[in-house]
């Protein structure tokens, strides 16, 4: 099993506090995320981007320390984060990708990072990807029966149909739901675990699960 971390360009203030300690992990970086990793003493395996936000000296530093840099043009249909995620899932065959720096800052960047997992090229593998920041853990799930474990320090649990969804059932959370259908996205926030795990199921669509704390 090969797990990769991917740092996007979101502000460091949104990073989990323990991110700088993850030096032994496999890392990829999108654009300025590569420079931020280097400043933490972490050398990404691959850096992807147009790097138009880097000063010439910063780009030189990156070129001297990262052996595999994938250059992209500035005007393109894909974001640098999308390009990096595609490499992690398709080329490196990552069994799990934890995406940091995908939240905070500009709202359009946040929404892009959430919605990109719904793209047909990523959707089949969306359950292998987790977005993680200082307060939240975000995952997408495909139809079926799923049991999730409460992550350390995360007190709240939310379920959000991201598409039309049929048959959503929350079996053992504080607030339960039985065989509910939804024609559009909706958020069921501020639910809670009643034990160390929770089971839910649905028949069609895509459901996001968020664990978080204040």
């Amino acid at each position: 099993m090969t797990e990769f971390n991917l740092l996007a360009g979101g502000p460091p203030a949104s990073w989990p506090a323990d991110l700088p300690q993850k030096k032994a992990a496999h890392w990829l970086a999108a654009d300025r995320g590569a420079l931020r990793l280097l400043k933490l003493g972490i050398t990404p395996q691959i850096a992807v981007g147009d790097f138009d936000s880097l000063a010439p000296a910063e780009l030189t530093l990156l070129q001297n320390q990262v052996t595999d840099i994938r250059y992209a043009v500035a005007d393109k249909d894909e974001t640098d984060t999308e390009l990096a995620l595609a490499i992690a899932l398709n080329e490196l065959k990552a069994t799990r990708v934890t995406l940091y720096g995908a939240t905070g800052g500009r709202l359009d960047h946040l929404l892009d990072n959430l919605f990109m997992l719904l793209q047909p090229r990523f959707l089949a593998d969306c359950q292998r990807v987790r977005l993680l920041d200082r307060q939240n853990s975000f995952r997408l799930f495909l139809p079926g029966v799923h049991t999730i474990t409460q992550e350390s320090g995360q007190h709240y649990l939310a379920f959000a149909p991201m598409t039309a969804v049929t048959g959503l059932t929350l079996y053992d959370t504080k607030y339960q739901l039985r065989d509910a259908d939804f024609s559009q996205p909706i958020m069921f926030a501020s639910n809670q675990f009643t034990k160390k795990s929770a089971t839910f199921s649905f028949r069609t669509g895509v459901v996001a699960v968020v664990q978080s704390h204040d």
Side-chain angles (χ1 to χ4, degrees), residues 96-100 128-132 137-139 151:
R96 182 173 180 177
V97 179
T98 301
L99 176 55
Y100 300 94
R128 291 195 272 158
V129 182
R130 177 176 62 151
L131 277 64
L132 193 63
S137 172
F138 174 95
R139 295 181 62 194
E151 298 179 16

Side-chain angles (χ1 to χ4, degrees), residues 66-149:
V66 179
T67 57
D68 190 347
I69 300 177
R70 312 288 179 91
Y71 295 95
V73 297
D75 296 326
K76 56 187 182 299
D77 293 330
E78 300 170 295
T79 67
D80 296 328
T81 302
E82 290 174 29
L83 294 172
L85 182 61
I87 290 171
L89 293 174
N90 301 327
E91 179 181 331
L92 301 177
K93 307 299 182 184
T95 54
R96 182 173 180 177
V97 179
T98 301
L99 176 55
Y100 300 94
T103 62
R106 284 171 48 179
L107 185 58
D108 59 333
H109 287 169
L110 168 63
L111 293 175
D112 188 272
N113 289 329
L114 297 182
F115 293 156
M116 74 176 175
L117 297 177
L118 297 173
Q119 295 179 22
R121 60 175 175 158
F122 292 133
L123 187 58
D125 298 312
C126 69
Q127 293 179 180
R128 291 195 272 158
V129 182
R130 177 176 62 151
L131 277 64
L132 193 63
D133 66 19
R134 190 171 292 267
Q135 284 187 273
N136 311 283
S137 172
F138 174 95
R139 295 181 62 194
L140 291 187
F141 289 86
L142 300 175
V145 179
H146 305 280
T147 298
I148 56 174
T149 300

Side-chain angles (χ1 to χ4, degrees), residues 6-108:
L6 168 56
L7 183 61
S14 69
W15 298 351
D18 64 346
L19 187 151
Q21 281 72 59
K22 299 181 180 294
K23 291 181 169 59
H26 298 289
W27 279 96
L28 290 85
D31 203 72
R32 179 163 286 275
L35 182 66
R36 289 174 171 162
L37 283 179
L38 292 177
K39 290 182 177 179
L40 295 175
I42 300 172
T43 302
Q45 182 174 326
I46 299 173
V48 184
D50 52 50
F51 306 109
D52 58 353
S53 65
L54 271 60
E58 293 174 330
L59 182 57
T60 298
L61 175 66
L62 183 68
Q63 293 168 331
N64 288 338
Q65 297 194 39
V66 179
T67 57
D68 190 347
I69 300 177
R70 312 288 179 91
Y71 295 95
V73 297
D75 296 326
K76 56 187 182 299
D77 293 330
E78 300 170 295
T79 67
D80 296 328
T81 302
E82 290 174 29
L83 294 172
L85 182 61
I87 290 171
L89 293 174
N90 301 327
E91 179 181 331
L92 301 177
K93 307 299 182 184
T95 54
R96 182 173 180 177
V97 179
T98 301
L99 176 55
Y100 300 94
T103 62
R106 284 171 48 179
L107 185 58
D108 59 333

